[in-house]
Amino acid sequence: MRSDLMKKGLERAPHRSLFKAMGYTDEEINRPIIGVVNSANEIIPGHIHLRIIADDVKAGIRIAGGTPVEFPAIGICDGIAMGHTGMKYSLASRELIADSVEAMAMAHPFDALVMIPNCDKIIPGMLMAAMRLNIPTIFISGGPMLAGKLKGKTIDLISVFEGVGKVKAGKISQKELDAIEDCACPGCGSCSGMYTANSMNCVTEALGLGLPGNGTVLAVNAARRRLAKEAGMKIMQLLKKGTKPRDIATLTAFKNAIAVDMALGCSTNTVLHIPAIAHEAGIKLDLEIFNEISNKTPNICKLSPAGAHHLEDLDSAGGIQAVMKRISSLGVIDEKAITVSGKTVGANIKSAVVLDDDVIRTLKNPYTKEGGIAILKGNLAPDGCVVKQSAVAENMLVNESVARVFDAEDDAIKAILGGKIKAGDIVVIRYEGPKGGPGMREMLGPTSAIAGMGLDTTVALLTDGRFSGGTRGAAIGHISPEAAEGGPIALVREGDIIAIDIPKKKITLKVSPEELKKRKKELKPKAPTITTGYLARYAKLVTSASTGAIFKD
């Protein structure tokens, strides 16, 4: 066993003594030692209950003959970090999480790991660590939140963000917003729509590293606790068989996960995280693979913010296994891929049934023939950019208009809420990329303000930063190269014409090559706004969004 390095033999008597200082018995020390990585904290609603999940995981490990040893991981709540300097640390925390899990698991050679994430960067950070360490590992998330209810209508966190814009536009009163604020997030769990957290938990299940149900079983359901105990027992089986993350997360498995991503209409942030996770597994995923799979995979689910359904509806309709079963006939799912359940994908989905064709549409009646995400390229984004096309109004799929240029998110929000952005404008926010931000802030503030002001079907928003999974409308992010690297987005000027053609996967700055060369010579890119601490080091190490914002080798 790997843990023998810290517990076996004469020379390890001091090590065993330290275990005994914590109350471990000889019997517990002699068993396989399983690290339980728990990201519980008291600042994220999706993590507030993870101590209960961890206790259930540990019960499962003990039932199956192992000794669980719990240790923590940090986590940032994107919703609470939104709209201020804190958001610059969100994406950057992904690397800290991966590094810290690696450090703990190398310093203390556990035989296997159970990862307990639930929100945004915590999930991909742990997945990156799992690929890097490559010891038997299983994921069990904390599960999604219930949607809120108000006056017979279903609401969620995005209702609150958009409510701010509605108050500014005079569409609702402050009192009405207060009522939305009180009801939108009714309890623990990852926010209830197909935002980044739920997108990544669903991707983890589709990738084969989470048990069936991992992405959709609600946080408040007893089924979530039973699933946690099952995960604790399953890790012992994976250890016995010697099944490691890289055995499961092959190129085929990543393609399965991307197909599910497209069918669900997941967050654009998956285009950052999936390549970064694959990189840790030694697999290169070019952005074009997303378009290739999207071309074959229809969008058959529309969850908030793209539609009215929430994770509770997807779970009741059959969950991720039912989605995989439905799209498997298209040849986009490799049923021979293995999973942490001990079964192949084909065996897992054999008994899956779609229970609601309104939530998981038939292949004959998809929302769109293509998947939920599109990668666009052109002279404005030579290395690519991303849009959640399933959440774009039909009239905005092809658009040409005037650029309104801002060098920071905060300035754009002031202009939007101040009524300075008009129907038809194309808002450009730059110097918000991985290096320029630094940290590539998630921009739910400006997109929600646009939606709240009633401009989401007439105003496009382009950025070298990124968007929340809760964003809807013609929001195009990850424009690469970013402004801080001298990318073409840095050359855009107020009043320039930009053409967007999502069906043709094109984005064009309608300025002559000669003029762009002239502007390039005159350009002096802005330096990152933070020059000390972790973010300063991050800005020096991080690569483009087109490569998943991984660190330089």
Side-chain angles (χ1 to χ4, degrees), residues 102-312:
E102 175 197 356
M104 286 294 288
M106 293 303 294
H108 316 98
F110 301 107
D111 295 302
L113 295 170
V114 180
M115 305 281 197
I116 310 176
N118 209 31
C119 291
D120 294 75
K121 307 316 153 307
I122 299 94
I123 306 157
M126 288 189 182
L127 282 164
M128 289 165 70
M131 297 300 129
R132 193 183 300 173
L133 290 163
N134 202 34
I135 60 175
T137 302
I138 193 169
F139 281 72
I140 172 67
S141 77
M145 182 188 292
L146 279 164
K149 305 288 183 186
L150 181 65
K151 296 180 179 178
K153 292 184 178 180
T154 303
I155 59 173
D156 55 34
L157 178 64
I158 306 309
S159 308
V160 191
F161 273 100
E162 293 184 359
V164 174
K166 289 179 180 179
V167 170
K168 289 282 186 180
K171 295 182 178 181
I172 63 173
S173 66
Q174 179 64 53
K175 188 175 181 180
E176 288 173 300
L177 178 58
D178 292 343
I180 295 170
E181 176 186 324
D182 288 345
C183 299
C185 300
C188 66
S190 47
C191 295
S192 57
M194 191 53 77
Y195 317 139
T196 305
N198 290 323
S199 294
M200 287 307 304
N201 281 325
C202 291
V203 162
T204 302
E205 182 179 335
L207 190 58
L209 289 170
L211 292 171
N214 181 64
T216 61
V217 173
L218 290 172
V220 295
N221 280 2
R224 174 60 58 179
R225 297 191 62 182
R226 296 196 297 271
L227 194 66
K229 290 176 184 176
E230 188 180 350
M233 291 184 278
K234 285 290 182 186
I235 192 60
M236 299 304 294
Q237 293 180 21
L238 292 170
L239 176 60
K240 187 174 181 179
K241 291 179 181 179
T243 305
K244 299 175 182 178
R246 292 193 192 184
D247 299 327
I248 295 169
T250 61
L251 177 58
T252 291
F254 277 104
K255 288 180 178 179
N256 284 351
I258 294 171
V260 170
D261 186 343
M262 295 301 164
L264 292 173
C266 288
S267 164
T268 52
N269 283 309
T270 58
V271 179
L272 272 178
H273 301 317
I274 292 175
I277 297 159
H279 173 78
E280 295 288 354
I283 297 169
K284 181 173 174 56
L285 286 183
D286 189 89
L287 286 186
E288 280 305 313
I289 199 169
F290 286 87
N291 279 344
E292 289 169 12
I293 294 174
S294 177
N295 289 339
K296 304 173 189 174
T297 312
N299 176 216
I300 58 174
C301 299
K302 273 208 176 188
L303 280 70
S304 178
H309 298 133
H310 291 81
L311 263 290
E312 60 202 71

Side-chain angles (χ1 to χ4, degrees), residues 19 21 23 42-43 65 73 81 136 202 210 232 242 249 325 363 404 424 449 481 495 504 517:
F19 272 100
E42 296 180 351
I43 194 65
C202 291
K325 176 78 170 285
L363 299 180
R404 304 293 308 281
K504 291 184 178 178
K517 282 183 183 179

Side-chain angles (χ1 to χ4, degrees), residues 397-420:
L397 292 171
V398 178
N399 181 30
E400 183 174 312
S401 195
V402 175
R404 304 293 308 281
V405 184
F406 302 91
D407 284 349
E409 174 191 7
D410 314 77
D411 295 337
I413 292 174
K414 287 178 186 176
I416 295 164
L417 294 178
K420 295 180 180 178

